Amino acid sequence: MHFLDQAKIYVRSGTGGPGAVSFRREKYIEYGGPDGGDGGKGGDIVFEAVAGLNTLIDFRYTQHFRAQRGKGGAGANRTGGGGNDLVIKVPVGTQVLSEDKEHVLMDFTKVGERKVFLRGGDGGRGNLSYKSSTNRAPRQHGTGWPGEEAWVWLRLKLLADAGLVGLPNAGKSTFINSVTNAKAKVGDYAFTTTRPQLGVVRHKNREFVIADIPGLIEGAADGAGIGDRFLGHIERCQVLLHLVDAHGDDPAAAYRTVRNELIAYGADLESKREVIALNKADLLDEELTEALSAELAEESGAEVLPLSGATGQGVEAVLDRLIDAIEPVSEIDENGDDEEPVEWSPV
Ligand SMILES: Nc1nc2c(ncn2[C@@H]2O[C@H](COP(=O)(O)OP(=O)(O)OP(=O)(O)O)[C@@H](O)[C@H]2O)c(=O)[nH]1
Ligand SMILES: [Mg+2]
């Protein structure tokens, strides 16, 4: 799957409408007083996280977003109508960053989350509101407050539930191909995968998203190999599936190398739950599988599952462990998303 994971856009909230200059005109009243109403508020720029979007690709074509301006006030003290808010729909997992990418301004993690990013300008005052004891027929009025504008980056971190990690050639892409609809490239050379891939696993009436990312090697945190820049995509995973190549030179050392790079990345990836699998078990006899699993279990201090993405051996057990580690998704109730959360306290 090809996805675009960042886009730069320009947003501008609506200017407030101008206040009106108007005087009352009635048949038998000479010198009717001022009655110009205020202008309407400009529209807000609002972001909303919606289901069903997986990429920021639409933002490649539309980069400028301007909310409507407020309407002008009118005579008889009528306030102008407000400009319509502009709601920008983004995929769940989108972050709004400042133009220099230094600050995360907003972070959308749930379907239905909706936040005002830029408020529209207030409407200008109508001449009625300038009436005073000394100026009974003001012609003054406000022109409307300007909206706000900004360039921001949208960045989408894929919301995978499970992330595949391992050295190059550990068999990550072969695994994702065998358990999902993904068609990841497989090759017997390092760095076959150069960009993350996502797939949806259906297992035991549950669905979850798994991400395949390029292999990590020693020094990835300092840029070696393809580096660690794709680890951001698995920052929000609930569980990591760590594949260790049983056919490699030293499985325990391979495991340790990848763990060290996860630690060096610095986003607390190392404290995520981890399922460890000794992959390509089809190449080993039972005795060797057991010996290597034991070695790896000692290194990791955790259970090690034998697996073969190629033959399907052990796949069910691995998926069971992943499902166990993934919380069912909670979505904001479509009808209740405007309600204030009810405070609850034990009596
Ligand atoms: N025998 C056997 N070979 C496997 C298995 N899984 C993967 N391979 C082979 O191992 C090589 C690497 O597989 P990939 O799936 O491309 O490995 P990867 O971890 O995605 O590699 P990178 O994308 O380079 O990090 C390929 O030649 C695969 O055919 C397995 O379970 N058994
Ligand atoms: Mg790969």
Side-chain angles (χ1 to χ4, degrees):
M1 183 170 40
H2 181 86
F3 59 89
L4 186 72
D5 64 355
Q6 56 182 24
K8 194 179 185 185
I9 62 168
Y10 170 83
V11 286
R12 188 192 172 112
S13 57
T15 306
V21 179
S22 165
F23 294 92
R24 201 159 53 144
R25 288 164 62 98
E26 277 174 50
K27 214 167 178 186
Y28 302 105
I29 302 176
E30 227 175 327
Y31 306 124
D35 70 352
D38 298 341
K41 186 181 144 301
D44 297 338
I45 290 286
V46 179
F47 285 105
E48 182 181 352
V50 296
L53 283 181
N54 297 313
T55 73
L56 295 173
I57 203 149
D58 294 341
F59 296 100
R60 195 191 287 176
Y61 307 107
T62 313
Q63 282 150 349
H64 293 82
F65 297 86
R66 293 184 178 86
Q68 235 180 17
R69 59 179 303 151
K71 312 254 179 336
N77 193 21
R78 280 171 304 188
T79 301
N84 292 334
D85 294 341
L86 182 63
V87 180
I88 303 174
K89 297 197 156 94
V90 295
V92 177
T94 300
Q95 293 182 324
V96 181
L97 299 156
S98 57
E99 190 178 4
D100 59 9
K101 295 194 186 168
E102 293 283 309
H103 306 282
V104 176
L105 308 172
M106 283 182 172
D107 194 354
F108 293 89
T109 55
K110 292 202 180 73
V111 171
E113 248 181 311
R114 198 180 159 111
K115 292 177 194 158
V116 174
F117 182 65
L118 298 179
R119 202 179 162 277
D122 285 325
R125 287 161 58 187
N127 67 337
L128 171 60
S129 71
Y130 288 92
K131 182 177 165 187
S132 67
S133 55
T134 50
N135 187 354
R136 306 189 65 85
R139 302 198 64 87
Q140 258 167 307
H141 71 114
T143 51
W145 296 93
E148 300 171 292
E149 61 178 354
W151 279 97
V152 289
W153 281 95
L154 300 182
R155 186 169 74 186
L156 175 61
K157 287 194 179 179
L158 297 173
L159 281 194
D161 304 297
L164 273 165
V165 293
L167 291 185
N169 271 332
K172 301 178 293 299
S173 300
T174 305
F175 179 80
I176 199 173
N177 287 349
S178 82
V179 297
T180 74
N181 50 352
K183 291 183 184 64
K185 192 167 158 199
V186 167
D188 62 354
Y189 52 92
F191 306 118
T192 314
T193 302
T194 53
R195 50 168 63 237
Q197 302 264 329
L198 284 189
V200 180
V201 180
R202 291 187 185 81
H203 182 65
K204 301 220 162 134
N205 287 331
R206 292 260 308 270
E207 281 190 355
F208 64 93
V209 178
I210 189 165
D212 174 22
I213 60 168
L216 295 168
I217 58 172
E218 191 176 341
D222 305 316
I226 296 187
D228 64 357
R229 67 198 149 114
F230 293 113
L231 284 178
H233 290 297
I234 59 170
E235 265 177 45
R236 297 183 194 206
C237 288
Q238 300 187 47
V239 58
L240 301 179
L241 173 57
H242 190 155
L243 296 189
V244 181
D245 187 347
H247 204 52
D249 291 341
D250 184 348
Y255 173 82
R256 181 50 46 204
T257 300
V258 171
R259 291 299 295 174
N260 286 342
E261 294 311 318
L262 294 179
I263 293 166
Y265 179 71
D268 216 20
L269 293 181
E270 72 276 13
S271 12
K272 285 191 190 297
R273 290 195 232 186
E274 184 188 41
V275 175
I276 306 164
L278 184 67
N279 196 25
K280 309 192 190 178
D282 56 294
L283 298 176
L284 312 177
D285 59 22
E286 210 166 300
E287 204 179 323
L288 196 49
T289 306
E290 264 173 34
L292 288 180
S293 299
E295 205 180 299
L296 199 48
E298 193 175 337
E299 175 69 37
S300 62
E303 179 194 28
V304 173
L305 301 162
L307 173 71
S308 167
T311 66
Q313 171 198 343
V315 165
E316 289 287 304
V318 165
L319 294 182
D320 284 349
R321 294 296 189 290
L322 294 178
I323 283 275
D324 286 347
I326 295 168
E327 305 280 326
V329 192
S330 69
E331 290 190 357
I332 292 180
D333 180 359
E334 291 247 334
N335 304 318
D337 57 5
D338 285 331
E339 282 169 21
E340 287 289 314
V342 179
E343 292 243 346
W344 181 88
S345 55
V347 184

